[in-house]
Amino acid sequence: MSSAEDIKWMKQALSLAKKAAIKGEVPIAALLVGPQGLIASAINTRERQQTPLGHAELFVLHKASQKMNSWRLSDCTLYVTLEPCVMCAGAIQQARLQRVVYGASDPKGGAVKSLFHVLNDPRLNHQVEVAGGVLEKDCARLLQDFFQERRDETKALKAAKEYRHRTSVIVVHKNKILGFHAEDPTSKKPYFFMPGGKIESAESAAEAAARECLEETGYKVRVLEDSAFIRKYDFLWDGKMNHCHTTFFLGVLEEEFSSPKEVSDATYHRGVAWIDKKDANKVFGYHPDILWAVQKLLKLAQKKSALL
């Protein structure tokens, strides 16, 4: 049964954790309490500082050590709203804390009782007294509500997006990939694009891919419709974020190979080219979803032995 003292400090930690949520951080807070009372308090800072070290426990130990002018905090108790992870449990052990009190258990990452028992491992040179489950339901509910709200926000944002339905085709011929050089009208950033574009209302995605390839590269291709898959992603172009719903295809030449010809298409078009397949990761590395699609289709092309 939790003592009145533990409940008092955990309530204070919970109140602080709620403030972390307002700042966009996972609502976890830690307090370090000594015989003289509260020494230091901290919340998660991982998102704001973009560091894996931004856990409340690490921050509160650092603040307390600086205040006490000692890394040894052997007469102190740490109160934290979530069971510490491996990293934090290691720091707690190194600080020689007397006691740790936590709220909610962490079955996926807890290193105090759930997955590991770092603080009570007899092989280590210091063991820490542990009390878990203090105001557990309140601590767990705070975390659950936070993540549910995040999921709801993500769903709402996705639902609000207006996707551009487009198509793209990767054409492979003798270890070469067909495409064209382009330049962003606003940023002037250079790109190498696969042929593709908007799907018109009167055509299928495969028909659009073949048409766009002819218009943008001058090559007539056969689109392998059974290679189709869809990828949703955001792409910044001409100063605007475009939400793309793209159907990707594998394509093969439907004419004798010839050197690239000059094509008059969009103003951002900078010339047709065939690049080496081995350079695909570097060339298409400007966007993870596009690179993923290229890699997937190249594997399919190799599997089908499609004019490689």
Side-chain angles (χ1 to χ4, degrees):
M1 186 174 179
S2 304
S3 70
E5 184 78 0
D6 287 346
I7 291 173
K8 180 189 80 170
W9 290 116
M10 190 59 74
K11 282 183 177 180
Q12 190 168 326
L14 261 171
S15 179
L16 189 60
K18 291 174 183 176
K19 294 180 181 179
I22 295 172
K23 295 177 182 291
E25 295 286 351
V26 176
I28 300 171
L31 309 176
L32 197 75
V33 178
Q36 68 274 50
L38 181 65
I39 299 172
S41 61
I43 61 174
N44 270 22
T45 62
R46 185 167 63 176
E47 296 302 324
R48 286 174 295 156
Q49 296 184 345
Q50 286 299 298
T51 171
L53 304 179
H55 286 203
E57 299 96 314
L58 294 188
F59 197 18
V60 81
L61 290 175
H62 176 73
K63 288 170 70 175
S65 295
Q66 296 297 299
K67 188 173 181 178
M68 303 296 288
N69 196 30
S70 174
W71 61 267
R72 288 181 180 272
L73 302 168
S74 54
D75 58 352
C76 298
T77 297
L78 176 73
Y79 292 89
V80 61
T81 53
L82 180 68
E83 180 183 0
C85 67
V86 173
M87 175 176 69
C88 294
I92 290 166
Q93 198 272 344
Q94 289 295 319
R96 307 295 193 263
L97 290 189
Q98 179 180 356
R99 189 165 177 258
V100 167
V101 180
Y102 66 86
S105 298
D106 184 0
K108 294 184 178 180
V112 176
K113 285 188 177 180
S114 295
L115 297 180
F116 305 100
H117 294 77
V118 174
L119 302 185
N120 300 119
D121 192 325
R123 295 171 296 179
L124 298 174
N125 62 352
H126 179 75
Q127 285 77 48
V128 181
E129 182 185 343
V130 174
V134 177
L135 298 183
E136 181 172 14
K137 290 183 179 179
D138 294 328
C139 293
R141 189 181 305 112
L142 179 62
L143 286 162
Q144 290 163 0
D145 290 347
F146 175 81
F147 286 115
Q148 184 60 53
E149 186 175 332
R150 282 290 183 89
R151 287 191 290 269
D152 291 343
E153 287 176 357
T154 300
K155 288 179 182 178
L157 286 172
K158 287 183 177 179
K161 286 183 179 180
E162 293 185 12
Y163 283 95
R164 296 171 61 232
H165 288 264
R166 58 187 311 281
T167 186
S168 191
V169 58
I170 180 168
V171 181
V172 184
H173 179 77
K174 295 185 177 179
N175 289 315
K176 299 280 187 178
I177 300 172
L178 175 64
F180 64 94
H181 296 284
E183 183 181 78
D184 188 300
T186 299
S187 68
K188 304 304 178 184
K189 182 178 178 179
Y191 290 94
F192 186 79
F193 288 152
M194 293 178 287
K198 182 180 178 181
I199 302 172
E200 302 295 343
S201 58
E203 62 185 355
S204 67
E207 290 170 339
R211 173 183 55 76
E212 288 285 350
C213 188
L214 185 60
E215 292 175 359
E216 293 180 331
T217 70
Y219 289 96
K220 187 177 181 181
V221 300
R222 177 167 56 89
V223 174
L224 306 182
E225 296 191 43
D226 64 346
S227 66
F229 65 90
I230 294 171
R231 195 80 171 171
K232 289 184 177 181
Y233 55 92
D234 296 335
F235 189 79
L236 181 63
W237 177 257
D238 198 12
K240 179 184 176 183
M241 187 62 73
N242 297 278
H243 310 304
C244 302
H245 179 288
T246 304
T247 304
F248 288 93
F249 292 98
L250 182 65
V252 295
L253 282 179
E254 207 170 41
E255 60 178 69
E256 290 293 325
F257 178 81
S258 60
S259 298
K261 304 178 183 66
E262 187 174 340
V263 172
S264 296
D265 192 52
T267 56
Y268 56 78
H269 199 296
R270 296 292 182 268
V272 182
W274 291 85
I275 65 162
D276 288 333
K277 188 182 75 169
K278 63 180 176 61
D279 295 328
N281 288 358
K282 178 176 65 176
V283 172
F284 295 103
Y286 54 79
H287 196 287
D289 287 280
I290 294 174
L291 177 59
W292 182 88
V294 170
Q295 292 170 335
K296 180 180 176 72
L297 288 170
L298 285 176
K299 288 179 181 178
L300 181 61
Q302 188 168 14
K303 187 176 181 180
K304 287 178 171 286
S305 298
L307 300 180
L308 289 176

